[in-house]
Amino acid sequence: MTTAPTTASSTSTTPGRLAGRRIVITGAAAGIGKAVAHLFAEHGAALTLLDRDENGLSGTAADVRASAHAVDITSEAEVSGAIRTAAATMGGIDGLVNCAGIMFRGRAGDVSADEWRHVLDVNLTGTYIVIRAALPWLEQQDGSSVVNMASGQGLLPNAPGYSAYAASKGGIITLTRALAAELAPRVRVNSVSPGMVDTAMADGYRDNVDSYALRRLGKPEEIARAVLFLTSTESSYVTGAALAADGGRTFH
Protein backbone atom coordinates (compact mmCIF):
# COMPACT_ATOMS: atom_id res chain seq x y z
CA MET A 1 0.00 0.00 0.00
CA THR A 2 1.22 3.45 -0.88
CA THR A 3 -0.81 6.53 -0.08
CA ALA A 4 -0.84 9.60 -2.27
CA PRO A 5 2.15 11.75 -1.32
CA THR A 6 1.31 14.88 0.58
CA THR A 7 3.27 17.17 2.83
CA ALA A 8 2.73 17.12 6.57
CA SER A 9 1.69 20.46 7.96
CA SER A 10 1.75 21.99 11.39
CA THR A 11 -1.52 22.71 13.14
CA SER A 12 -0.07 26.06 14.19
CA THR A 13 0.80 29.12 12.12
CA THR A 14 4.09 29.30 14.05
CA PRO A 15 6.95 27.34 12.46
CA GLY A 16 7.59 24.21 14.48
CA ARG A 17 10.78 22.72 15.85
CA LEU A 18 11.04 20.46 12.77
CA ALA A 19 10.05 22.96 10.08
CA GLY A 20 11.67 22.02 6.78
CA ARG A 21 12.77 18.58 7.98
CA ARG A 22 12.06 15.44 5.91
CA ILE A 23 11.65 12.44 8.18
CA VAL A 24 10.87 8.74 7.81
CA ILE A 25 9.14 7.01 10.75
CA THR A 26 8.81 3.22 11.02
CA GLY A 27 6.21 1.49 13.16
CA ALA A 28 3.85 4.41 12.59
CA ALA A 29 0.58 2.46 12.51
CA ALA A 30 0.11 2.47 16.27
CA GLY A 31 1.65 3.08 19.65
CA ILE A 32 4.81 5.14 20.01
CA GLY A 33 5.37 5.40 16.26
CA LYS A 34 1.90 6.85 15.76
CA ALA A 35 2.44 9.35 18.58
CA VAL A 36 5.76 10.40 17.04
CA ALA A 37 4.09 10.93 13.66
CA HIS A 38 1.40 13.17 15.18
CA LEU A 39 3.89 15.22 17.20
CA PHE A 40 6.32 15.62 14.30
CA ALA A 41 3.52 16.74 11.99
CA GLU A 42 2.49 19.36 14.55
CA HIS A 43 6.07 20.64 14.49
CA GLY A 44 6.19 21.10 10.74
CA ALA A 45 8.03 18.03 9.43
CA ALA A 46 7.35 16.42 6.08
CA LEU A 47 6.80 12.74 6.82
CA THR A 48 6.90 9.34 5.20
CA LEU A 49 5.50 6.53 7.35
CA LEU A 50 6.35 2.82 7.20
CA ASP A 51 4.64 -0.14 8.86
CA ARG A 52 3.47 -3.63 7.95
CA ASP A 53 -0.05 -2.91 9.34
CA GLU A 54 -1.69 -1.44 6.24
CA ASN A 55 -4.96 -0.43 7.90
CA GLY A 56 -3.39 1.26 10.91
CA LEU A 57 -0.82 2.92 8.71
CA SER A 58 -3.50 4.37 6.43
CA GLY A 59 -5.24 5.90 9.43
CA THR A 60 -2.11 7.56 10.78
CA ALA A 61 -1.12 8.82 7.32
CA ALA A 62 -4.55 10.38 6.82
CA ASP A 63 -4.41 12.03 10.25
CA VAL A 64 -1.05 13.71 9.65
CA ARG A 65 -1.26 14.14 5.86
CA ALA A 66 1.81 12.02 5.18
CA SER A 67 2.96 9.56 2.55
CA ALA A 68 2.95 5.95 3.70
CA HIS A 69 4.21 2.57 2.53
CA ALA A 70 3.24 -0.83 3.94
CA VAL A 71 6.51 -2.75 4.25
CA ASP A 72 8.12 -5.55 6.20
CA ILE A 73 11.26 -3.98 7.66
CA THR A 74 13.09 -7.31 7.48
CA SER A 75 12.80 -7.20 3.67
CA GLU A 76 15.67 -5.26 2.13
CA ALA A 77 13.87 -5.00 -1.20
CA GLU A 78 10.67 -3.58 0.31
CA VAL A 79 12.51 -1.15 2.54
CA SER A 80 14.87 0.06 -0.19
CA GLY A 81 11.98 0.72 -2.55
CA ALA A 82 10.01 2.63 0.08
CA ILE A 83 13.01 4.72 1.10
CA ARG A 84 13.81 5.65 -2.51
CA THR A 85 10.21 6.73 -3.02
CA ALA A 86 10.25 8.68 0.24
CA ALA A 87 13.38 10.56 -0.79
CA ALA A 88 11.90 11.37 -4.19
CA THR A 89 8.60 12.52 -2.68
CA MET A 90 10.09 14.69 0.05
CA GLY A 91 13.13 15.90 -1.87
CA GLY A 92 15.52 14.05 0.41
CA ILE A 93 15.70 12.53 3.89
CA ASP A 94 17.38 14.20 6.86
CA GLY A 95 15.68 12.37 9.71
CA LEU A 96 14.82 8.78 10.58
CA VAL A 97 12.95 7.38 13.58
CA ASN A 98 12.92 3.59 13.99
CA CYS A 99 9.91 2.62 16.12
CA ALA A 100 9.02 -0.69 14.45
CA GLY A 101 9.51 -3.70 16.67
CA ILE A 102 7.87 -6.59 18.48
CA MET A 103 7.53 -7.61 22.13
CA PHE A 104 8.43 -11.16 23.07
CA ARG A 105 8.52 -13.12 26.33
CA GLY A 106 9.90 -16.58 26.92
CA ARG A 107 12.50 -18.23 29.13
CA ALA A 108 15.72 -19.20 27.41
CA GLY A 109 15.08 -22.91 27.75
CA ASP A 110 11.70 -22.57 26.08
CA VAL A 111 12.60 -20.20 23.24
CA SER A 112 13.52 -21.97 20.02
CA ALA A 113 16.36 -20.81 17.83
CA ASP A 114 13.81 -19.82 15.18
CA GLU A 115 11.92 -17.64 17.68
CA TRP A 116 15.20 -16.06 18.80
CA ARG A 117 16.12 -15.29 15.19
CA HIS A 118 12.70 -13.78 14.52
CA VAL A 119 12.94 -11.36 17.45
CA LEU A 120 16.42 -10.23 16.44
CA ASP A 121 15.47 -10.09 12.76
CA VAL A 122 12.61 -7.66 13.43
CA ASN A 123 13.97 -5.56 16.27
CA LEU A 124 17.69 -5.37 15.51
CA THR A 125 18.29 -6.40 11.89
CA GLY A 126 15.16 -4.56 10.74
CA THR A 127 16.43 -1.37 12.34
CA TYR A 128 19.79 -1.84 10.60
CA ILE A 129 18.14 -2.48 7.22
CA VAL A 130 16.15 0.76 7.41
CA ILE A 131 19.16 2.82 8.47
CA ARG A 132 21.33 1.31 5.75
CA ALA A 133 18.72 2.08 3.10
CA ALA A 134 18.38 5.71 4.23
CA LEU A 135 22.11 6.43 4.58
CA PRO A 136 22.74 7.75 1.05
CA TRP A 137 20.28 10.59 1.75
CA LEU A 138 21.05 11.13 5.44
CA GLU A 139 24.73 11.60 4.66
CA GLN A 140 23.99 14.32 2.13
CA GLN A 141 22.78 16.71 4.82
CA ASP A 142 24.62 18.23 7.77
CA GLY A 143 22.46 17.90 10.86
CA SER A 144 20.70 14.70 9.85
CA SER A 145 19.57 12.52 12.74
CA VAL A 146 18.55 8.96 13.49
CA VAL A 147 16.63 7.93 16.61
CA ASN A 148 16.28 4.23 17.38
CA MET A 149 13.72 2.77 19.78
CA ALA A 150 15.43 0.54 22.34
CA SER A 151 14.01 -0.44 25.74
CA GLY A 152 14.67 -0.37 29.45
CA GLN A 153 15.15 -4.12 29.08
CA GLY A 154 18.11 -3.34 26.83
CA LEU A 155 19.66 -1.15 29.52
CA LEU A 156 18.92 -3.36 32.51
CA PRO A 157 17.37 -6.80 31.94
CA ASN A 158 15.93 -7.50 35.39
CA ALA A 159 13.01 -9.86 34.87
CA PRO A 160 12.89 -13.50 33.76
CA GLY A 161 11.68 -14.39 30.30
CA TYR A 162 13.08 -11.51 28.27
CA SER A 163 16.43 -12.85 27.06
CA ALA A 164 15.64 -12.62 23.33
CA TYR A 165 13.88 -9.26 23.62
CA ALA A 166 16.57 -7.80 25.88
CA ALA A 167 19.31 -8.98 23.54
CA SER A 168 17.58 -7.36 20.57
CA LYS A 169 17.12 -4.04 22.37
CA GLY A 170 20.59 -4.09 23.90
CA GLY A 171 21.86 -4.64 20.38
CA ILE A 172 20.02 -1.51 19.25
CA ILE A 173 21.75 0.53 21.96
CA THR A 174 25.17 -0.77 20.93
CA LEU A 175 24.39 -0.35 17.22
CA THR A 176 23.36 3.23 17.94
CA ARG A 177 26.68 4.00 19.63
CA ALA A 178 28.69 2.33 16.87
CA LEU A 179 26.86 4.27 14.16
CA ALA A 180 27.17 7.52 16.12
CA ALA A 181 30.94 7.12 15.94
CA GLU A 182 30.90 5.98 12.32
CA LEU A 183 28.56 8.61 10.89
CA ALA A 184 29.76 11.67 12.81
CA PRO A 185 29.93 14.56 12.34
CA ARG A 186 27.28 14.74 9.61
CA VAL A 187 24.67 12.37 11.10
CA ARG A 188 23.73 12.15 14.78
CA VAL A 189 22.48 8.77 16.03
CA ASN A 190 20.73 8.32 19.39
CA SER A 191 18.37 5.87 21.07
CA VAL A 192 15.44 6.10 23.45
CA SER A 193 14.81 3.37 26.02
CA PRO A 194 11.18 3.48 27.19
CA GLY A 195 9.84 1.64 30.17
CA MET A 196 6.43 0.02 29.90
CA VAL A 197 4.21 2.27 27.78
CA ASP A 198 0.42 2.22 27.65
CA THR A 199 0.00 0.77 24.16
CA ALA A 200 -1.45 -2.43 22.75
CA MET A 201 2.05 -3.94 22.81
CA ALA A 202 1.96 -3.73 26.61
CA ASP A 203 -1.11 -5.98 26.86
CA GLY A 204 -0.15 -8.97 28.94
CA TYR A 205 2.98 -7.25 30.26
CA ARG A 206 1.48 -4.70 32.67
CA ASP A 207 2.39 -6.50 35.87
CA ASN A 208 5.60 -4.78 36.91
CA VAL A 209 4.91 -1.07 37.46
CA ASP A 210 5.87 -1.39 41.13
CA SER A 211 9.49 -1.46 39.96
CA TYR A 212 9.07 2.03 38.46
CA ALA A 213 9.82 5.07 40.61
CA LEU A 214 6.84 6.90 39.11
CA ARG A 215 4.52 3.91 39.75
CA ARG A 216 2.74 4.09 36.42
CA LEU A 217 2.99 3.21 32.75
CA GLY A 218 4.29 5.84 30.36
CA LYS A 219 2.18 7.46 27.68
CA PRO A 220 3.14 7.23 23.99
CA GLU A 221 3.14 11.03 23.83
CA GLU A 222 5.76 11.20 26.59
CA ILE A 223 8.12 8.99 24.60
CA ALA A 224 7.39 10.98 21.44
CA ARG A 225 8.55 14.15 23.17
CA ALA A 226 11.88 12.51 23.99
CA VAL A 227 12.22 11.51 20.33
CA LEU A 228 11.39 15.07 19.26
CA PHE A 229 14.20 16.43 21.42
CA LEU A 230 16.74 14.03 19.92
CA THR A 231 15.57 14.81 16.37
CA SER A 232 15.48 18.58 16.73
CA THR A 233 18.41 21.00 16.75
CA GLU A 234 17.93 21.36 20.50
CA SER A 235 20.02 18.19 20.83
CA SER A 236 22.64 19.29 18.29
CA TYR A 237 25.50 18.32 20.64
CA VAL A 238 24.04 14.91 21.51
CA THR A 239 25.02 11.72 19.69
CA GLY A 240 25.48 8.13 20.82
CA ALA A 241 23.12 8.70 23.74
CA ALA A 242 20.86 6.06 25.26
CA LEU A 243 18.12 8.21 26.74
CA ALA A 244 16.08 6.37 29.37
CA ALA A 245 12.43 7.52 29.34
CA ASP A 246 11.33 4.82 31.72
CA GLY A 247 9.65 6.35 34.75
CA GLY A 248 12.71 5.63 36.89
CA ARG A 249 12.93 1.92 36.18
CA THR A 250 16.69 1.94 35.59
CA PHE A 251 17.98 5.33 36.82
CA HIS A 252 20.44 4.97 33.98
Side-chain angles (χ1 to χ4, degrees):
M1 180 275 292
T2 300
T3 67
T6 58
T7 300
S9 61
S10 172
T11 57
S12 169
T13 57
T14 303
R17 293 157 67 184
L18 300 176
R21 295 290 299 276
R22 302 155 298 177
I23 299 171
V24 174
I25 302 171
T26 74
I32 293 172
K34 181 177 181 178
V36 171
H38 278 263
L39 184 61
F40 279 27
E42 291 173 8
H43 282 275
L47 302 176
T48 297
L49 312 179
L50 308 183
D51 202 293
R52 65 180 180 178
D53 176 1
E54 186 170 341
N55 291 333
L57 184 62
S58 295
T60 305
D63 288 344
V64 302
R65 299 177 57 200
S67 299
H69 306 276
V71 300
D72 177 351
I73 62 167
T74 67
S75 167
E76 290 185 79
E78 290 184 19
V79 170
S80 294
I83 292 293
R84 284 195 301 270
T85 302
T89 300
M90 298 189 295
I93 298 170
D94 53 28
L96 172 62
V97 179
N98 285 299
C99 293
I102 58 173
M103 177 69 82
F104 184 84
R105 178 186 284 177
R107 288 180 174 270
D110 300 322
V111 175
S112 70
D114 283 343
E115 289 173 319
W116 167 274
R117 291 188 191 98
H118 179 62
V119 175
L120 267 70
D121 279 350
V122 175
N123 290 350
L124 181 55
T125 304
T127 295
Y128 175 76
I129 286 171
V130 178
I131 295 171
R132 187 174 183 274
L135 271 182
W137 291 275
L138 291 168
E139 292 186 307
Q140 290 178 17
Q141 306 292 327
D142 287 328
S144 291
S145 66
V146 176
V147 180
N148 298 319
M149 199 57 57
S151 168
Q153 284 289 346
L155 290 171
L156 181 65
N158 64 353
Y162 289 96
S163 55
Y165 181 75
S168 70
K169 293 299 188 175
I172 287 175
I173 293 168
T174 301
L175 173 64
T176 295
R177 291 169 174 160
L179 289 175
E182 182 175 323
L183 302 179
R186 180 152 281 190
V187 183
R188 296 184 300 109
V189 189
N190 293 290
S191 66
V192 175
S193 291
M196 192 64 67
V197 179
D198 191 11
T199 68
M201 188 177 286
D203 292 345
Y205 301 91
R206 300 169 183 263
D207 54 358
N208 65 342
V209 292
D210 286 345
S211 65
Y212 291 69
L214 297 185
R215 298 294 191 273
R216 65 174 177 85
L217 275 66
K219 300 175 182 177
E221 295 78 13
E222 292 177 300
I223 310 305
R225 288 194 287 270
V227 176
L228 174 62
F229 166 70
L230 291 174
T231 302
S232 74
T233 58
E234 294 167 17
S235 61
S236 57
Y237 201 54
V238 180
T239 196
L243 175 59
D246 64 358
R249 176 186 174 276
T250 61
F251 290 110
H252 179 73

